[in-house]
C-alpha cells in the first residue's frame, strides 16, 4: 500500500531540520498544490531556500523533484475522483477468506494508526479534557454521523459538548458562542465540502482550536487545523470507507474517559442514576 506524501511527512517530521519543517507545513497548508509549483515558487512560499526544498523532498524518500511532483499529481487525481468515476471499475477478485473490501478496511486501520503518533493522541485528548473548553463537532454529508456519534459519547464524559447538525447557516449562528478556549472537531473526506471549509476559516479567525479528521489526501481545512488526523479511506468500491475514522473517534473517546479519571466516572454514574 503506497504511502501518501502527507503520511511520509508525518513519519519523518521528527528527523527534519527547522527549515525542512517549514517546507512541510507550507505543503500541508496548501496540499498538494504547493508542491506542484516550481522549486523556486515552493521555496518562496515556505520562506526557505531552493536547496532546502530539495533536501526536504529527499528526506521524504524521493530521488528528485519531478518524482515528488508525480506522486502529488497522482494524489490530486485521486482527490478529484467521485463515486461515479470509480463505479465503472472492475471489482477485484476475492483471494482470501474475507471480501476484498473488508481486507482493505483492515489494512486501512493499520495504516491509519501507524501514522498517528502517541504524542498527537495525547495532545488531542489534552485539548478535549480542558474543563472550560466548549467542544463542538461537525461533519460533511457522509461523515457527520461520526461527529454525532462522537458527540453523544463525549457529552456523557464531560459537559459543554455540542454537535452542529444541519447546514452552514446553523453552524455560523453558533460561532457567536465559540471562543479561543473552545475546540472544533471537523470530519471531512473527499469530495471535500465547501461549506465546511468556509466554516473552518471563520472559526479559525476567531482563534478556535480546530481538529480535522480527514483522509490521506487531506481536506483543504488542514490549513486552519491545529491537529490533522488523516485516516485511510480508500477501498475497492465506488464508495470510500469511514471505518478508520470511526475507530479513531472511539479510541479518543476511550482515551478521554481514562484522562478524566474519577471526575468522568462520577459524571457517568450520575447520568446512569437519572435513567
Amino acid at each position: 500500500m503506497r504511502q501518501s506524501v502527507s503520511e511520509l511527512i508525518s513519519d519523518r517530521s521528527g528527523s527534519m531540520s527547522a527549515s525542512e519543517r517549514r517546507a512541510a507545513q507550507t505543503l500541508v497548508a496548501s496540499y498538494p498544490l504547493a508542491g506542484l509549483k516550481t522549486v523556486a515558487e515552493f521555496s518562496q512560499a515556505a520562506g526557505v531556500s531552493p536547496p532546502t526544498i530539495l533536501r526536504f523532498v529527499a528526506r521524504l524518500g524521493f530521488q528528485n523533484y519531478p518524482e515528488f511532483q508525480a506522486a502529488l499529481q497522482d494524489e490530486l487525481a485521486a482527490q478529484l475522483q467521485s463515486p461515479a468515476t470509480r463505479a465503472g471499475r472492475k471489482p477485484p477478485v476475492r483471494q482470501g477468506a474475507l471480501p476484498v473490501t473488508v481486507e482493505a478496511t483492515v489494512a486501512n486501520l493499520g495504516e491509519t494508526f501507524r501514522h498517528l503518533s502517541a504524542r498527537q493522541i495525547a495532545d488531542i485528548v489534552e485539548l478535549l479534557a480542558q474543563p472550560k473548553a466548549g467542544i463542538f463537532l461537525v461533519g460533511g454529508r457522509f461523515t457527520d454521523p461520526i461527529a454525532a456519534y462522537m458527540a453523544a459519547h463525549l457529552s456523557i464524559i464531560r459537559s459543554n459538548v455540542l454537535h452542529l447538525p444541519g447546514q452552514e447557516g446553523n453552524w455560523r449562528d453558533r460561532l457567536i458562542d465559540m471562543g479561543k478556549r473552545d475546540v472544533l472537531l471537523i470530519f471531512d473526506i473527499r469530495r471535500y465540502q465547501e461549506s465546511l471549509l468556509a466554516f473552518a476559516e471563520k472559526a479559525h479567525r476567531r482563534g478556535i482550536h480546530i481538529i480535522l479528521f480527514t483522509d490521506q489526501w487531506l481536506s483543504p481545512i488542514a490549513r486552519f487545523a491545529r491537529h490533522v488526523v488523516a485516516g485511510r479511506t480508500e477501498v475497492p468500491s465506488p464508495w470510500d470507507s469511514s471505518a478508520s475514522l470511526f475507530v479513531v473517534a472511539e479510541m479518543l473517546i476511550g482515551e478521554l474517559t481514562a484522562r478524566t479519571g474519577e471526575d468522568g466516572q462520577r459524571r457517568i454514574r450520575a447520568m446512569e442514576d437519572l435513567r
Side-chain angles (χ1 to χ4, degrees), residues 168 171-172 175 186 188 193-205 210 220-221 224:
E168 186 187 2
W171 311 338
R172 190 168 54 243
L175 279 174
I186 303 180
D188 188 34
Q193 194 163 311
E194 289 292 333
S195 57
L196 284 175
L197 176 60
F199 181 62
E201 183 173 10
K202 292 182 178 71
H204 177 71
R205 289 175 182 170
I210 295 175
I221 294 171
F224 304 120

Side-chain angles (χ1 to χ4, degrees), residues 34-39 42 53-54 57 62-70:
L36 296 176
K37 298 179 179 179
T38 66
V39 172
F42 188 2
I53 297 297
L54 297 179
V57 168
F62 295 100
Q63 297 297 315
N64 50 53
Y65 198 68
E67 184 183 14
F68 164 73
Q69 289 193 313

Side-chain angles (χ1 to χ4, degrees), residues 5 36 126 163 189 191 204 218 226 267 269 274:
V5 174
L36 296 176
E126 187 63 27
H163 172 233
I189 63 175
R191 304 155 72 189
H204 177 71
L218 301 190
R226 178 166 178 176
R267 180 177 172 87
R269 287 195 296 269
L274 294 174

